[in-house]
Amino acid sequence: MSNRRSFIRKSSLGALSFLFSKNNFSEWGESKTEIKNKPIVLSTWRHGIAANEVAWKILNSGGNALDAVEAGVSVTESDLTNQTVGLGGLPDRDGFVTLDACIMDHDCRCGSVAFLQHIEHPIQVARKVMDQSPHVMLAGEGAYQFALKNGFSRSNAEVPTDKSKKRYLEWLKESKYKPEANIENHDTIGMIALDENGKISGACTTSGLAFKMHGRVGDSPIIGAGLYVDGEVGAAVATGVGEMVMRIAGTHTVVELMRNGASPQEACEETIRRIIRKHSEIKNKQVGLLALNTKGEYGAYGLTSGFTYSLYNKDGNRVLDSRFAVG
Ligand code: GLY
């Protein structure tokens, strides 16, 4: 049976298969898994190129995917010229830069921080939450105190940066909140990677949507929304308007579609279609999805045009244009 026919059959019977089958791969006659495209790392947007470089060095020297994604997105977090990730990010409506991040490995171990301020590397705090706490998610002042107790220090960076303050002051003149597609042609950095040993992990970090309400948390630190990984299946990561992703648990949806036979590309496309069905207004909005399965097959899809992603495998590191649903 062709992949597509298998997927269609799968979609219609999906609910039943979830209920009655623990191992959908065998149910659908999946051929013996042979990992042929590893290591591989994918990340959202053009800013993923620099992040991929660092992740690849780890992957290519036999390191594990979890360390690779953590180190990779840390590069973007440190770039104070980047206005959508890390402390260089644009502030909320009240002038505060608040950061969200999460990390997850093949065993569904995960850690997350939300509404964190003054820390250069939220992703590394998320990893500590995963490794050193009994919890999955810490937020706000609690996350900050946890970071300080675990060896992180308050950043000396002037935040918002001059560049972000300038944009904020301009925005204040009208104070209109309208999240737009592809701001500066980047957004969250999400990264997913498969290492030499066939282990898969992901990381996701952002300063969130510019000029959001104070206290707003987006999809990026939410396991199953901004990021989901299951080593039996694969991984997915999201970028764009977080609320649209959260409403349908976007990355969990992608991974579950893959579990049920969809290719990474098919899973991204079906998930974007679901987002479209659930939203009456998609004009000027963007959601981008990346997916990777344990065979090293990958997919990418955007709600609208303009979503780019960075891919590093044995053929090198490059930026690619994603296919999209709406022109
Ligand atoms: N996807 C980033 C956010 O909505 O905060």
Side-chain angles (χ1 to χ4, degrees):
M1 188 180 294
S2 75
N3 278 349
R4 182 162 293 275
R5 279 176 51 216
S6 153
F7 175 51
I8 291 165
R9 180 184 162 208
K10 202 64 180 60
S11 299
S12 54
L13 297 176
L16 284 177
S17 66
F18 279 129
L19 284 175
F20 297 119
S21 172
K22 273 192 161 172
N23 183 347
N24 292 297
F25 284 113
S26 57
E27 184 190 350
W28 296 107
E30 195 77 11
S31 60
K32 200 170 140 244
T33 300
E34 186 193 328
I35 300 171
K36 45 187 184 296
N37 189 17
K38 63 184 172 86
I40 178 172
V41 56
L42 290 152
S43 56
T44 54
W45 306 103
R46 178 175 291 278
H47 57 197
I49 284 285
N52 282 1
E53 284 291 340
V54 168
W56 181 260
K57 268 194 195 118
I58 294 171
L59 293 168
N60 203 34
S61 55
N64 71 60
L66 186 64
D67 291 340
V69 296
E70 180 186 357
V73 303
S74 290
V75 172
T76 325
E77 288 181 336
S78 287
D79 177 4
L80 286 177
T81 66
N82 187 317
Q83 292 187 288
T84 58
V85 177
L87 291 171
L90 290 166
D92 65 19
R93 292 176 196 190
D94 297 338
F96 297 95
V97 177
T98 69
L99 306 176
D100 297 336
C102 75
I103 192 161
M104 189 164 191
D105 80 0
H106 59 280
D107 275 335
C108 292
R109 294 174 67 242
C110 46
S112 159
V113 289
F115 196 61
L116 176 64
Q117 296 182 60
H118 307 300
I119 298 288
E120 181 178 350
H121 288 302
I123 198 65
Q124 295 175 16
V125 184
R127 173 88 188 255
K128 280 273 186 234
V129 171
M130 170 177 143
D131 288 342
Q132 308 286 341
S133 90
H135 304 302
V136 165
M137 184 171 197
L138 295 176
E141 181 61 21
Y144 179 66
Q145 290 304 331
F146 173 84
L148 296 185
K149 282 195 191 109
N150 282 278
F152 295 87
S153 45
R154 185 186 166 109
S155 166
N156 294 325
E158 183 92 19
V159 172
T161 60
D162 286 346
K163 189 178 164 198
S164 287
K165 210 180 290 165
K166 206 165 152 222
R167 283 272 301 278
Y168 177 56
L169 294 175
E170 269 164 34
W171 177 81
L172 276 180
K173 289 180 196 157
E174 280 200 34
S175 302
K176 263 203 196 127
Y177 178 68
K178 41 173 189 189
E180 281 169 13
N182 310 322
I183 299 173
E184 294 191 345
N185 211 22
H186 58 80
D187 183 79
T188 311
I189 182 152
M191 177 178 276
I192 46 184
L194 180 68
D195 64 31
E196 279 290 355
N197 294 317
K199 302 289 191 227
I200 197 162
S201 287
C204 188
T205 177
T206 187
S207 52
L209 292 180
F211 318 128
K212 60 195 175 185
M213 288 175 72
H214 189 59
R216 182 265 189 188
V217 169
D219 60 321
S220 302
I222 307 296
I223 301 298
L227 173 70
Y228 197 69
V229 182
D230 184 334
E232 293 173 8
V233 179
V237 72
T239 180
V241 179
E243 283 75 6
M244 299 174 92
V245 180
M246 292 158 90
R247 284 187 190 108
I248 64 144
T251 55
H252 185 261
T253 297
V254 173
V255 171
E256 292 312 305
L257 287 164
M258 291 195 292
R259 191 191 306 277
N260 282 276
S263 70
Q265 186 63 34
E266 287 169 331
C268 290
E269 292 185 16
E270 173 57 22
T271 302
I272 291 288
R273 281 195 288 274
R274 192 174 300 181
I275 288 175
I276 292 170
R277 286 200 299 277
K278 301 295 178 191
H279 292 84
S280 51
E281 181 61 75
I282 56 168
K283 196 164 170 258
N284 286 332
K285 307 262 172 64
Q286 180 61 294
V287 171
L289 294 172
L290 296 179
L292 176 65
N293 67 19
T294 50
K295 295 181 211 168
E297 297 164 340
Y298 60 89
Y301 205 56
L303 172 60
T304 54
S305 63
F307 173 45
T308 57
Y309 63 104
S310 301
L311 165 69
Y312 204 153
N313 61 7
K314 293 202 164 95
D315 298 327
N317 195 12
R318 64 263 190 209
V319 180
L320 298 166
D321 288 318
S322 163
R323 282 150 63 183
F324 53 90
V326 182

